[in-house]
Amino acid sequence: MDYDVIVIGSGIAGTLAAINAARNKKVAVIRKGYGASALSSGAFDIASKTGTRGRPLKGLSTLSVAITEILENEQNHPYSILSRTFTGDRFNEFIGMVKTVGSQFFDELKSVGLGYEGSWENLMIIPNLHGTFKVTSFCQPSMESGNLARLRGRKLLFVGFDKITSHSKTRAGFLSRLLSDYGFVSFKDISYTNINIHEHNIAYNENDLVSLASAMDTPEQARYILNVLKQSLAGIEYEHAFIPPIMGIAGYNDVYQMFVDVFGYTVSEFLSSSFSSAGLRLQYALDKLLAKHGVTIINGTVVCEQNNDKIKTLTIIKKDGNSSQISANSFVLATGKFISNGIKKDTTWKEAVFGLPLFIGSHVIREPFPMNYLTDDPFDEQILFSMGVKVDEYLRPVNEDGKVIYNNLFAAGSILSGYNYIYDRTGMGTAMMTGARAGILSAG
Amino acid sequence: MKINKPETNKLNTTIYDVAIIGGGINGTGIARDCAMRGLKVVLFEKNDLASGATGACTGMIHGGARYLLNDIHTTYLSSLDSGYIQKIAPHLLFRIPFVTPVLKQDFMPDVYIEFLETFFEAYDKFAPLKNSKPHTRLTKEELKAIEPGITDDAVGAISFDEYGIDTFRLCVENALSAVEHGAQIYNHTEVKQLLIENNTVMGVRVKNTISGETSDVHAKLVMNAAGPWLPGITRLAGTEVKIRPGKGIHLILDRRISNVGIVIKAIDGRQVFMMPHDNTFIIGTTDDDYYGNLDNLWATNDEIEYLLQAAEQYFPRIREYRIIRVMVGIRPTLYAWGKNEDKLYREHKIFDHEIEDGIKGFLTIAGGKLASYRLMSEEATDIICKKLGCKTPCKTHTEPLPGGKFIPDVEKLSQQYKLDPYVVSRIAYRHGARTEDVLKLTEENISNSNIICECEPVIEAEIRYAIRNEWAKTITDIRRRTRLGTGSCQGRRCAMRAAYILGEELELDVDEIKNLIRDFIKERWKGKAPILKDKQLAEEEINLASHMLTDSLNVIIEK
């Protein structure tokens, strides 16, 4: 055997599986590139099914309430599946496990230079670059410091950059009204300013915030930009300022510290969706974690020929077209859903590596046409995005009859069916919980 | 809110010569012609300019090759008009060389290619009228060299030459020209009632669909150019003009996948086009009788599969490419019983209801095709002028559209306004002679040079220009005028940015801005949902995660 455990995919689920298995086993991760974690906002949603259709938002419910609701009502949700192995008070035991696994993981991330802050009970409200907000559980410290729930009544300043992402009265006013509409918080004043940064001598691509964040990785450039910001904000009256997410990628820890030294905790970053600096910081930290735990990273696409009840070898096709065989005792499938091609669709739907059957709820997908799984209103929950493999309580993929397909294959993260992270906001939580569990199970 | 606020008083007190219903290519074409002949014109469109059949068509200004066999005069007139349109809108037209491949499985391919060549030899006679190159006969090897993606089953091909156009811009340019000649244009304004006295249509009662405001507008003549919606308008006059609505869909790919247009045959022998268009690629169209809701069109699995199967015969790897959208429209074809959809002529007819059924002051234009819009508008305007005693001749074939007056120097302008030459060249394509008017807005505020839609790309100045000068009131209106949100992400990042700009320009409140965003996302969804697969499905997972998870757009509050 080349390895004890092979993990396919290196997002949150794959990384957690790999580092958990690597405590006592020889582990390799095979990946063809970065997936959904790198494209995410970098925030960690654990559970907050608030405010969607039929469940109007009345205020922020707490995390434990949200998880309990899932365990009570959604039998196919990976949270419910995992909780089935508990024999006592499965609600409290499971919530306890979420906190333990999550805290350990955040400690791991911190050990490689990426902090995460938040609460296992109260949700936070973080403003984003698009003029709205996100409700979530954990964020990088430069964003968590901008938790609007704690900034009630302050005088806020939104900072934009000319020619990249600029603010306007309408945009600032939009968020202000939205927040008071939602009954969260009200602010007596949100003002905005736009800073001219493009005429300074900074190496970045116009209209590309991520490249400006990368430029900050160079200490010299970071000091320079910090100085421009300091001068521009000097004459403005504010209590808390939000800037676009530019505090470095690889050098985030140092850049953030520089900001704290200059501004204290009165300057936060806006959250943003893909391609976000925060998502790239996360992916960068995941790579460091894999290295720290001695996990081998192999780049290539995986194919697997028909096996009986046990998988022995995989074929890896490298970018240059060369292929090689690799063997292991057990395997973790953490390939993600559509973003990372864990599921492919040409004339039919296919789980990309092993050709496992795909489920929506307890039904196997046969119809190739997407409209069978979509409604005509995109604001409804779209069950197409809950498509994935179905697993038993040991995370082993099963067929339509509930039989385990391969004894040594475990699945984790968004390749799983039974939940819809876009609507139930359990994406990162599910990836962490199933990833860690798949890692432990695969290591036997 | 500033939407359509101006001139309501004027609407109530003026007696117009012509009130036109419908802002498609017929409506705006007639508005321009009538206004240029000195008539007082007002036009009402219930949705937006080019939002119906015009916006959903293939976008070709062709010479009418298909009429060559039985109606050579139509081919002559179509080719002549294609030449005119090139002169009045040089910035908007782009040449599309086509190949008609002959496959070895075609019936008697050796004879078929001879027939095609003879056919296009005859069509060559009209080529000079529309500045087209004469046909060539291509061997299998030559065809493969031009179009490497084509099937090995091709035994040869005949080439010919046509032109494509941005139909949205063509409508807007006609409307702008009409306004330069004194016309008034109202989009998002629906005709609810015809004002009728003594069997004479005296005007229309209109309702602004955004503000809800109603006005009575008096006109000597009412021209019904409502396209597929025209039977609804004639019913308001208590009469009936029948059409045979034909549904057509197009698949839109994310990039240009061939060098030239390809004429292909579908399973039922119908002709279908595959062609590069702007920075995308179009496959279409279908043609099926339609009995459903005209205001809520969805493509079906069968229609999509029909086109893919046809394309696959000629371009075997077509399914590996990325479809970003399906576009659906309804043709207002003239009524006929007992004919297959595809055998229906693309003829047009102007109904004078005084002659047809004794209702005075009311005309209806039905049928037709984009390529001969100018000619149809001229014919309709001639009838209108005759009725109103106006003797001014038509000049729409010689006087350029507002953007067609000269072609700007892109390089010079991009240096002058410190903008990427590609950004300026896209504005120059859409605005022609008016390019500098758009660019001048960047001097007003530095943020007006921000790129709002990165796919196209579209800068803030062009969006503000469309709102201020071209009647854009929704994000979809902006999309039609600027191609914002038409790239592979279908507006993920630009929709909200555009909404805030609309909010500023039109002084909208938060709820109105929220609705603009929701409406746009819903409208894009119609075109995306039916075709989701592979990369576009991945894109859609990112889209939904961004909109719902990061932006919380689906969060509902209990009030």
Side-chain angles (χ1 to χ4, degrees), chain A residues 51 57-58 128 130 132-134 163 166 168 170 174 177 182 207 274 338-339 345 369 375-376 421, chain B residues 298 301 446 450-451 500 504 510 522 525 533-534 537-538 541-542 546 549-552 554-556 558:
Chain A
L57 193 59
K58 289 174 188 157
N128 66 41
H130 316 125
T132 64
F133 61 86
K134 176 172 170 65
K163 282 199 159 187
S166 48
S168 62
T170 323
F174 188 74
R177 238 301 296 282
Y182 284 66
N207 294 303
S274 65
F338 305 119
I339 292 174
K345 158 84 200 319
F369 302 116
T375 75
D376 56 10
Y421 76 91
Chain B
W298 288 81
N301 299 330
I446 185 162
N450 285 0
I451 292 184
Y500 298 129
E504 263 169 53
V510 171
K522 280 184 169 182
W525 180 252
K533 70 174 179 90
D534 292 347
L537 190 53
E541 192 184 346
I542 300 174
S546 294
L549 280 177
T550 312
D551 299 340
S552 306
N554 63 339
V555 169
I556 295 165
E558 195 168 65

Side-chain angles (χ1 to χ4, degrees), chain A residues 264-287:
Chain A
Y265 295 95
T266 63
V267 171
S268 303
E269 290 182 301
F270 282 112
L271 204 77
S272 71
S273 54
S274 65
F275 305 91
S276 77
S277 309
L280 291 172
R281 287 169 198 157
L282 177 60
Q283 188 64 55
Y284 188 82
L286 295 182
D287 282 10

Side-chain angles (χ1 to χ4, degrees), chain A residues 274-330:
Chain A
S274 65
F275 305 91
S276 77
S277 309
L280 291 172
R281 287 169 198 157
L282 177 60
Q283 188 64 55
Y284 188 82
L286 295 182
D287 282 10
K288 278 195 186 169
L289 263 190
L290 292 173
K292 179 189 156 192
H293 287 269
V295 176
T296 309
I297 297 176
I298 302 165
N299 291 301
T301 307
V302 181
V303 283
C304 180
E305 277 159 32
Q306 281 296 330
N307 290 271
N308 291 328
D309 57 347
K310 215 170 169 181
I311 295 159
K312 292 186 184 98
T313 55
L314 297 176
T315 305
I316 303 170
I317 303 165
K318 299 249 167 119
K319 267 211 172 114
D320 59 14
N322 291 330
S323 65
S324 57
Q325 300 274 321
I326 186 166
S327 61
N329 285 323
S330 53

